[in-house]
Amino acid sequence: MPINKGSVAIVIATMAIAISCYGTFFAEHIVTPHTKQNAIHQNGSEIVLTNIPLNSDYNELSIDLLNKKITALELQLANLKIQNPALAETANNDDFKELVIAVLNEKEQQVQAKMRASNPYHAFYSELPDDYELRIKSDPHYAQKMATQLREQILNPNVSDEERLAALNQLQLSMNILNKQSMPEYDFAIVDSVFNLAINSTDGNFKIQAIETITQTPVLDHRVVEKFTHLLETDNNDYVRRLAVQGLVMQYYQAQNEQSDYTQQVAQHLLTLYQNPTDNDVKTLLDEVFGNQKMLEKLQGHASGGS
């Protein structure tokens, strides 16, 4: 997760103080990028540089801790300058600057690697160019090129399941950036491909991630409704069945903004499913959505061709 602007400002301030310290007393010491703690002695004075821990929330730097470290460094720097005024003129700051940059880069790589390991299906976020959003918005040719490439990756059986799902997530992200409800590159073939990946996967985590993604699909197609219905009636995982209901409801509500005929078709399907459930679990899950009188009347109205 990238460090936010406030944290970056504190990091830069810390670097500035640390570089100044280096200029005063580091001239005769060697520091390696992997040093975790260094104690520097000059005429009885000691300064200890330790790794600054990260907060668990979004890996942001602890502002309070950094402020305290800056204050401590300032005091020690003042004392060292008084004791060793000649060292300030002989030190070379460039090496320490490179060291700090290297440490920050290494830390960022560790954060990204950890994110990819914990959620490989969303790892593409960390690998997008910094100007991805602006380019998608300002350059239609680039947006078209990316959509085509992502479609090819999703449909390519030689690409890993994780990469195909990541490509679908990126395609949906691009649609959201462009504020589009649909695009030619995102059709039923895409949904069907990812659905099949989910159903055939032996990885439970991947299956859930894939189904969660396609419940948000903008593709309005009766075949999508059939797939979610089959999942609802046959899967043995309660959460997956709830996702199937969510997919059906999304088809129903999206259709109301797009296609009146399709709205009626989906409403009729849901009403039949509600009135003739295959088991009590299906009935219970549909009851949570359509069980109240107002929602049921709305569903019946759409099923009969009304609004």
Side-chain angles (χ1 to χ4, degrees):
M1 181 69 67
I3 300 173
N4 64 33
K5 293 182 179 178
S7 299
V8 171
I10 296 299
V11 173
I12 292 174
T14 306
M15 289 169 60
I17 296 299
I19 290 170
S20 297
C21 290
Y22 180 87
T24 304
F25 54 83
F26 270 69
E28 298 179 0
H29 295 266
I30 299 175
V31 184
T32 64
H34 299 290
T35 300
K36 292 186 176 180
Q37 178 169 298
N38 299 301
I40 307 301
H41 300 270
Q42 289 291 342
N43 294 338
S45 298
E46 179 181 287
I47 213 173
V48 178
L49 301 179
T50 58
N51 283 343
I52 300 172
L54 296 179
N55 287 334
S56 59
D57 293 337
Y58 305 106
N59 291 317
E60 293 182 352
L61 291 171
S62 171
I63 304 300
D64 292 338
L65 180 58
L66 282 170
N67 279 322
K68 292 178 182 178
K69 286 184 176 288
I70 289 172
T71 301
L73 285 170
E74 286 175 334
L75 293 174
Q76 294 181 62
L77 174 61
N79 290 331
L80 288 170
K81 282 186 175 180
I82 293 173
Q83 297 172 20
N84 302 279
L87 289 178
E89 299 179 1
T90 60
N92 181 356
N93 293 334
D94 291 341
D95 291 341
F96 190 69
K97 289 180 181 178
E98 292 179 1
L99 171 64
V100 172
I101 292 173
V103 170
L104 289 176
N105 288 338
E106 181 178 349
K107 187 61 182 178
E108 178 66 17
Q109 291 174 4
Q110 291 174 352
V111 170
Q112 292 183 5
K114 185 176 180 179
M115 184 179 72
R116 285 193 293 270
S118 63
N119 197 339
Y121 323 116
H122 293 164
F124 73 92
Y125 285 112
S126 65
E127 299 172 356
L128 292 178
D130 292 338
D131 63 344
Y132 183 77
E133 182 173 348
L134 286 176
R135 290 188 67 185
I136 288 289
K137 291 178 178 178
S138 61
D139 188 345
H141 296 294
Y142 178 74
Q144 176 65 49
K145 176 183 176 183
M146 290 306 304
T148 300
Q149 289 180 353
L150 292 170
R151 175 183 172 79
E152 292 174 352
Q153 182 171 333
I154 296 167
L155 297 177
N156 188 348
N158 297 319
V159 176
S160 71
D161 292 356
E162 289 78 10
E163 290 174 318
R164 294 171 73 178
L165 181 57
L168 178 57
N169 278 292
Q170 186 174 341
L171 184 61
Q172 291 190 171
L173 171 66
S174 299
M175 287 184 61
N176 292 334
I177 290 174
L178 294 172
N179 198 26
K180 286 187 173 183
Q181 301 300 317
S182 63
M183 61 169 50
E185 293 78 16
Y186 193 169
D187 57 9
F188 175 74
I190 294 294
V191 179
D192 187 45
S193 176
V194 176
F195 223 117
N196 290 335
L197 289 179
I199 298 302
N200 295 322
S201 177
T202 57
D203 184 341
N205 292 335
F206 175 84
K207 178 179 180 179
I208 288 176
Q209 288 277 354
I211 295 173
E212 283 179 336
T213 301
I214 55 179
T215 57
Q216 307 301 319
T217 179
V219 177
L220 300 179
D221 191 301
H222 69 91
R223 291 171 293 182
V224 176
V225 171
E226 291 171 358
K227 285 186 171 294
F228 279 125
T229 300
H230 179 72
L231 195 64
L232 171 62
E233 294 179 334
T234 61
D235 201 90
N236 57 8
N237 184 300
D238 182 68
Y239 181 70
V240 171
R241 301 179 88 176
R242 289 178 180 275
L243 287 177
V245 172
Q246 180 181 337
L248 290 169
V249 172
M250 286 293 293
Q251 287 283 304
Y252 173 55
Y253 280 111
Q254 287 185 94
Q256 295 175 40
N257 298 324
E258 299 288 334
Q259 305 172 14
S260 58
D261 291 343
Y262 186 59
T263 301
Q264 181 179 8
Q265 183 179 0
V266 177
Q268 289 174 346
H269 179 86
L270 289 174
L271 188 60
T272 300
L273 192 62
Y274 179 76
Q275 294 173 339
N276 302 282
T278 54
D279 57 49
N280 288 332
D281 290 337
V282 172
K283 174 67 173 177
T284 299
L285 291 173
L286 292 175
D287 256 333
E288 293 178 3
V289 181
F290 302 108
N292 68 77
Q293 190 62 31
K294 184 177 179 179
M295 285 299 301
L296 188 56
E297 289 176 355
K298 184 177 181 180
L299 184 64
Q300 291 170 337
H302 282 131
S304 62
S307 59

